[in-house]
């Protein structure tokens, strides 16, 4: 009976975590897509559009990472979840469910943004994002993202993550050729809106592949630089 009660508590906790991952990823994509649509409608200056999109995205990241970090770790990103799995901080079953929740949340966020701006719920993007320079941009954006997250975890500075992730994404919007998607779930979600932040569905697989390469690079760099104090202290 005690084991059954413990199992029920674990299932309820997992459901809370999955809901947090869904809501957080949904919120982030809603902000990214919605702010892109608003920027397009307010100005024809592409630089101003990107600036508006950047500011809104940074604010959304800070809000949702801070809000849900104590529930699910606020991963909101399949490559982040994958690194957590390989570091044995989450089991395979939970990791898979996290990824499903993240992708579903990203798609929901894009669709809600479309509805808010009187667009079709799903209107597949026609914006081509391809070529080696953009793929390299995604490798760099994702590698630094994973490096900073892993670095904070390994040096017991996780409270800094809600601030450092938006800081890097803000910088990466402007210093990478791809404007820093750095997230497979977000890439899928953004393909559902033919607007400023969109990406053509056929461009998504190579972006995801580049993001996976970047994540691997980020993990290797973190392991080479930081001693894992989080495990040493256990």
């Amino acid at each position: 009976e005690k084991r059954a009660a413990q199992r029920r508590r674990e299932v309820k906790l997992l459901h809370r975590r999955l809901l947090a991952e869904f809501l957080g990823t949904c919120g982030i994509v809603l902000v990214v897509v919605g702010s892109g649509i608003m920027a397009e409608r307010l100005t024809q200056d592409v630089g101003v559009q990107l600036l508006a999109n950047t500011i809104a995205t940074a604010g959304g990241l800070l809000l949702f990472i801070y809000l849900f970090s104590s529930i699910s770790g606020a991963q909101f990103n399949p490559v982040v979840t994958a690194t957590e799995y390989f570091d044995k901080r989450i089991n395979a079953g939970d990791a898979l469910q996290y990824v499903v929740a993240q992708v579903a949340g990203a798609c929901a966020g894009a669709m809600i943004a479309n509805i808010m701006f009187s667009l079709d719920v799903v209107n597949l993007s026609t914006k081509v994002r391809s070529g080696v320079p953009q793929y390299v941009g995604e490798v760099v954006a994702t590698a630094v993202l994973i490096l900073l997250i892993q670095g904070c975890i390994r040096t017991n500075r996780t409270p800094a993550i809600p601030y450092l992730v938006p800081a890097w994404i803000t910088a990466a919007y402007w210093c990478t050729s791809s404007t820093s998607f750095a997230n497979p779930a977000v890439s899928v979600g953004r393909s559902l809106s033919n607007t400023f932040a969109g990406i053509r569905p056929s461009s998504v697989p190579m972006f995801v592949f580049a993001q996976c390469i970047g994540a691997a690079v980020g993990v290797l760099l973190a392991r080479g630089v930081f001693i894992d104090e989080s495990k040493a202290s256990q």
Side-chain angles (χ1 to χ4, degrees):
E1 186 175 338
K2 289 183 177 179
R3 289 182 179 178
Q6 176 64 24
R7 177 58 183 165
R8 285 195 294 271
R9 286 193 293 271
E10 290 175 354
V11 170
K12 183 178 290 187
L13 179 58
L14 176 60
H15 288 168
R16 289 179 182 274
R17 290 172 175 167
L18 294 176
L19 181 57
E21 287 296 299
F22 174 87
L23 291 174
T25 315
C26 176
I28 290 168
V29 174
L30 187 154
V31 168
V32 172
V33 174
S35 63
I37 297 171
M38 179 66 82
E40 276 187 318
R41 293 186 178 182
L42 292 177
T43 178
Q44 297 302 310
D45 188 317
V46 178
V48 174
Q49 291 173 356
L50 182 59
L51 179 61
N53 197 215
T54 303
I55 293 170
T57 300
L61 284 169
L62 176 59
L63 186 159
F64 291 110
I65 295 174
Y66 187 85
L67 181 63
F68 292 120
S69 59
S70 64
I71 306 299
S72 66
Q75 297 174 22
F76 308 150
N77 187 333
V79 295
V80 173
T81 298
T83 61
E84 290 291 288
Y85 166 70
F86 287 117
D87 280 344
K88 299 181 180 179
R89 295 188 175 95
I90 184 173
N91 64 53
D94 289 357
L96 179 59
Q97 292 182 77
Y98 267 47
V99 171
V100 171
Q102 291 158 359
V103 173
C107 293
M111 290 188 287
I112 293 170
N114 288 337
I115 293 170
M116 288 195 300
F117 289 93
S118 301
L119 302 173
D120 291 340
V121 178
V122 173
N123 54 105
L124 297 179
S125 177
T126 59
K127 183 173 290 188
V128 178
R129 297 180 187 264
S130 62
V132 172
Q134 292 210 46
Y135 302 148
V136 172
E138 279 303 287
V139 171
V140 171
T142 312
V144 176
L145 176 66
I146 297 300
L147 174 62
L148 77 85
I149 292 172
Q150 287 280 304
C152 287
I153 291 172
R154 288 170 172 270
T155 56
N156 294 320
R157 292 181 291 176
T158 53
I161 291 176
Y163 308 101
L164 295 183
V165 169
W168 167 240
I169 296 301
T170 296
Y173 259 48
W174 290 89
C175 75
T176 64
S177 54
S178 63
T179 65
S180 182
F181 283 50
N183 185 325
V186 168
S187 301
V188 172
R190 288 171 64 168
S191 73
L192 304 182
S193 185
N194 190 25
T195 55
F196 179 79
I199 176 173
R200 192 170 69 174
S202 61
S203 297
V204 171
M206 280 303 299
F207 260 53
V208 171
F209 178 71
Q211 290 155 4
C212 291
I213 297 297
V217 171
V219 168
L220 291 174
L221 291 174
R223 290 180 176 178
V225 174
F226 301 105
I227 296 173
D228 197 345
E229 298 174 6
S230 66
K231 292 183 179 179
S233 61
Q234 293 177 356

